[in-house]
Amino acid sequence: MRHFHYKDGEMYAEDVALRDIAAKVGTPVYVYSTATFQRHFTVFANAFKDRTTLIAYSVKANSNLAVLATLAKLGAGADVVSQGELVRALTAGIPASKIVFSGVGKTEPEMRAALEAGIRVFNVESLPELERLSDVALSMGTRAPVAFRVNPDVSAGGHEKISTGKAENKFGIAWSSVQSAYARAAALKGIEIVGVDMHIGSQIDSLAPFEVAIEKVGALISDLRKKGHTITSFDIGGGLGIPYGDNSKTPPPPSEYGALVKKLTADMDVELIFEPGRMIAGNSGVLLSEVVYAKSGEDREFLIIDAAMNDLIRPALYEAYHEIEPVRAPGRNFKTQRYDVVGPICESGDTFTKRRELPQMAAGDLLVLHSTGAYGAAQSSQYNTRPLVPEVLVSGDRFAVVRERPKLEEILRAESIPDWV
Ligand code: LLP
């Protein structure tokens, strides 16, 4: 359920006409709906309301401060993977006690910053990381709370570039080394073992891989306890997919996911932690763009729009599908056309879709790329010296620019020409 819909022939985000945002802020621009963020978070939280649960929103999906603050108000925690994300989460009002730190390459300064803040837990992914964390904690006169991210070797669908739970991936502690990793952690003075963590992939569209992995880790938790380790939390990671509108795959709703997870973990006596990203943010945002030219090719029609792969890289990187709709509602008996919708960058990869049947459009028309609230702005760049795409947050009939489009002078100011050039 998302709050982007046609009203009186125009697309609105909640009660704000996208045309008004385009007129005031310009295009391309990301537009987020507060109500959709709230709804997704609440649906997820409600699925676990009778269990002690921490929902640590995965900041990487959409790290805008206004988004984080919106979720903080609802009680969200944060899953962070860098010092930058840690500072964002704290700045947005997410308490350190609700922050988990993931990632395969945490550096010493990052460990120090997280220990100083007093985060909930480090999800540790290797023995060298464990040893370093212990040293850093001891040097600060403290102990680091740790869960190992275990790699349950489960195939979890999704695109090859975002699958993480197989033995061949770089993530987590290899299944055969998990017991010895916990034994080593128990021996280290700077470490306090608190739990177990997993994350098996992203855009997962069936419950089966979750079921296999949770059962495997459940058995592991019993084993670890028998060996005397204290396991109080089980972090199940993120990964639940969302509908992107291509009808090929319909991921299970959070309620079904919740029912399954609750059933499988009923006797585990653990606090559940989740790290959902896409599920919260994906359908909460659109990329609003204007058609610059409609161009006829040899054998096809192109819509050249003012958004490009630097603003939204998912189609180029993962062959991702994003539903496209015009901002002006197609009237009755509208004509359609098969289009390649492309950006202005000089790379064939700067293509959002090929041969998609869409209502006919012309230069100056506005359109949206749906389901771009997650991994859209967060993965944008200034390639081609295109200023970082701005972000707008809507709430009811209000909207605010929550990240400005940088001016060209600002971009250039960060660079310098040495006097010996
Ligand atoms: N926890 C960890 C440790 C992760 O690595 C991720 C995502 C998440 C949680 C959140 O997963 P989600 O619930 O969003 O599936 N850029 C790609 C997705 C990369 C996912 C990376 N890790 C895309 O646009 O599809």
Side-chain angles (χ1 to χ4, degrees), residues 376-397:
Q379 287 186 260
S380 61
S381 76
Q382 303 201 126
Y383 185 41
N384 277 213
T385 311
R386 294 168 47 86
L388 219 47
V389 56
E391 296 168 273
V392 161
L393 183 67
V394 170
S395 177
D397 59 4

Side-chain angles (χ1 to χ4, degrees), residues 102-402:
S102 304
V104 288
K106 299 175 201 79
T107 63
E108 204 175 303
E110 288 178 323
M111 291 171 174
R112 211 167 273 286
L115 284 167
E116 255 159 35
I119 64 159
R120 162 77 64 99
V121 61
F122 290 85
N123 291 329
V124 169
E125 303 214 21
S126 68
L127 285 176
E129 180 193 340
L130 181 78
E131 304 283 341
R132 189 171 299 174
L133 181 58
S134 177
D135 289 346
V136 173
L138 284 178
S139 77
M140 296 170 69
T142 185
R143 294 171 83 201
V146 159
F148 280 108
R149 173 167 175 185
V150 299
N151 186 334
D153 192 16
V154 170
S155 177
H159 189 273
E160 162 211 352
K161 290 204 174 83
I162 53 176
S163 147
T164 54
K166 289 289 293 166
E168 71 220 42
N169 295 127
K170 68 180 177 183
F171 302 100
I173 305 276
W175 196 252
S176 57
S177 313
V178 170
Q179 299 287 353
S180 56
Y182 275 91
R184 180 66 188 140
L188 286 172
K189 294 233 161 26
I191 298 295
E192 182 195 359
I193 297 169
V194 298
V196 180
D197 167 51
M198 68 177 215
H199 170 77
I200 55 174
S202 198
Q203 188 53 16
I204 299 170
D205 56 18
S206 96
L207 291 177
F210 287 111
E211 180 161 11
V212 176
I214 291 171
E215 281 186 329
K216 240 175 137 170
V217 175
L220 172 71
I221 291 175
S222 309
D223 258 18
L224 291 170
R225 283 177 172 154
K226 278 189 206 127
K227 298 212 166 84
H229 301 298
T230 308
I231 305 294
T232 54
S233 59
F234 178 10
D235 185 334
I236 292 177
L240 187 59
I242 60 164
Y244 274 98
D246 52 352
N247 293 327
S248 60
K249 293 175 188 137
T250 314
S255 54
E256 274 175 34
Y257 168 82
L260 175 81
V261 173
K262 276 196 293 190
K263 188 184 83 184
L264 295 172
T265 59
D267 299 324
M268 287 186 197
D269 188 26
V270 283
E271 172 173 7
L272 296 176
I273 301 179
F274 297 94
E275 303 170 356
R278 190 190 312 269
M279 193 268 137
I280 306 284
N283 279 316
S284 303
V286 297
L287 175 56
L288 174 60
S289 177
E290 186 177 302
V291 177
V292 186
Y293 297 109
K295 160 173 167 171
S296 297
E298 197 64 66
D299 63 346
R300 65 188 70 202
E301 298 299 313
F302 294 98
L303 283 180
I304 302 168
I305 66 175
D306 66 1
M309 64 191 288
N310 70 298
D311 306 307
L312 174 66
I313 200 155
R314 302 195 69 258
L317 202 51
Y318 320 114
E319 287 114 46
Y321 179 100
H322 288 276
E323 190 185 345
I324 298 174
E325 284 188 314
V327 165
R328 188 188 308 285
R332 248 185 261 164
N333 308 322
F334 65 93
K335 290 210 177 69
T336 65
Q337 174 74 53
R338 276 192 191 280
Y339 287 117
D340 284 19
V341 180
V342 302
I345 289 180
C346 185
E347 293 198 27
S348 306
D350 189 20
T351 296
F352 293 110
T353 188
K354 284 189 172 160
R355 307 249 178 181
R356 176 106 46 103
E357 187 165 8
L358 294 169
Q360 257 183 6
M361 283 182 254
D365 284 348
L366 294 168
L367 57 76
V368 296
L369 290 122
H370 281 290
S371 314
T372 47
Y375 308 112
Q379 287 186 260
S380 61
S381 76
Q382 303 201 126
Y383 185 41
N384 277 213
T385 311
R386 294 168 47 86
L388 219 47
V389 56
E391 296 168 273
V392 161
L393 183 67
V394 170
S395 177
D397 59 4
R398 291 174 297 187
F399 74 89
V401 177
V402 293

